[in-house]
Amino acid sequence: MRLKARRRDKSFRVLSTILSGEPERALAGSRFGTASIIAMSMEPLDMAQAAGAPIETLESWFSAHNWLHERIGDEEIVASAKGAWNQYELRGLWREDDCVLQFLAFPDIKVTDAQAAVIYEAIGLINEQLWLGHFEYWPSTGIIAYRHAALLDSGSGEAVFSYDQAEVMVEAAIEELDRFYPVFQFVLWGGKSPREAITSAMVETQGEA
């Protein structure tokens, strides 16, 4: 089941930024690379719970959708979601000092050193089309990741994260992985150039609409 993204005007409630650091460390100890979701039936969300601490809100959102997930301490959560093409790992990381919630999604694609140059080109072209977040290639592990971050400084000293914000963040990540997964397939295994791959993927996406 593919998630349906909400109207994009809601996305402007979330501030996009890029964090520096060592993203490869985010995968340490992961047990969800091949995990499957428990079920895709959705329990009703209590919208009275308008906002809460970022990781707690994500945990409640994943629980309401019956997605397999695990808390890793107070500042991290990992979940598994079934996309249109593959099983995706989702990871939320909270940096309290900066009031920033970082959200990453992994399409389970491995890139060899010989393929790095063409993947960098493809990611550059893909990122030009994104309205939220961006794709990255991590050469030390050969992993492709989608990354988005939200600044949650409310001015009151307490960061809050709403169900609406969680929904925009999660659904945007899955939507973009679904939309561009074929591009990576065409480039890595289909013998197409990045521009050809994007054109072919867009034609296939329009055909499914």
Side-chain angles (χ1 to χ4, degrees):
M1 171 182 176
R2 181 177 175 178
L3 291 174
K4 300 297 183 181
R6 285 195 169 189
R7 293 190 305 272
R8 293 191 175 185
D9 56 351
K10 287 192 175 181
S11 68
F12 293 104
R13 301 172 60 183
V14 184
L15 176 64
S16 178
T17 186
I18 298 175
L19 299 180
S20 60
E22 301 177 20
E24 290 86 351
R25 295 177 61 189
L27 289 179
S30 172
R31 290 184 284 172
F32 287 89
T34 58
S36 60
I37 56 176
I38 298 175
M40 289 304 296
S41 60
M42 183 190 302
E43 297 177 1
L45 291 176
D46 182 2
M47 296 311 295
Q49 302 177 32
I55 298 300
E56 281 73 15
T57 299
L58 282 174
E59 183 175 30
S60 297
W61 200 93
F62 292 142
S63 295
H65 290 74
N66 289 327
W67 289 9
L68 185 66
H69 63 278
E70 180 184 11
R71 283 282 295 270
I72 304 175
D74 295 331
E75 298 183 340
E76 186 172 357
I77 189 168
V78 183
S80 180
K82 183 174 178 58
W85 306 100
N86 206 346
Q87 197 77 20
Y88 304 143
E89 178 181 321
L90 311 176
R91 186 174 290 259
L93 298 166
W94 171 239
R95 291 188 177 183
E96 185 173 4
D97 292 343
D98 300 320
C99 288
V100 171
L101 175 65
Q102 185 173 202
F103 194 78
L104 300 106
F106 305 93
D108 195 21
I109 294 175
K110 297 287 287 186
V111 180
T112 66
D113 291 341
Q115 297 169 320
V118 71
I119 282 297
Y120 277 125
E121 182 181 352
I123 287 176
L125 294 172
I126 288 171
N127 285 342
E128 292 176 359
Q129 304 185 46
L130 297 187
W131 59 276
L132 195 66
H134 65 280
F135 280 92
E136 301 175 352
Y137 167 57
W138 299 350
S140 63
T141 53
I143 288 174
I144 292 174
Y146 170 90
R147 190 213 292 252
H148 170 61
L151 179 63
L152 304 176
D153 186 358
S154 63
S156 64
E158 181 178 356
V160 293
F161 191 58
S162 71
Y163 273 108
D164 277 350
Q165 288 174 299
E167 185 162 79
V168 168
M169 182 172 276
V170 175
E171 291 188 353
I174 294 177
E175 183 182 69
E176 301 300 9
L177 260 60
D178 283 349
R179 184 156 68 118
F180 292 107
Y181 190 94
V183 175
F184 298 124
Q185 287 185 313
F186 285 138
V187 167
L188 295 175
W189 306 297
K192 293 183 181 293
S193 71
R195 291 190 183 276
E196 291 172 337
I198 290 176
T199 300
S200 298
M202 294 303 100
V203 169
E204 287 197 359
T205 300
Q206 292 171 2
E208 293 175 358

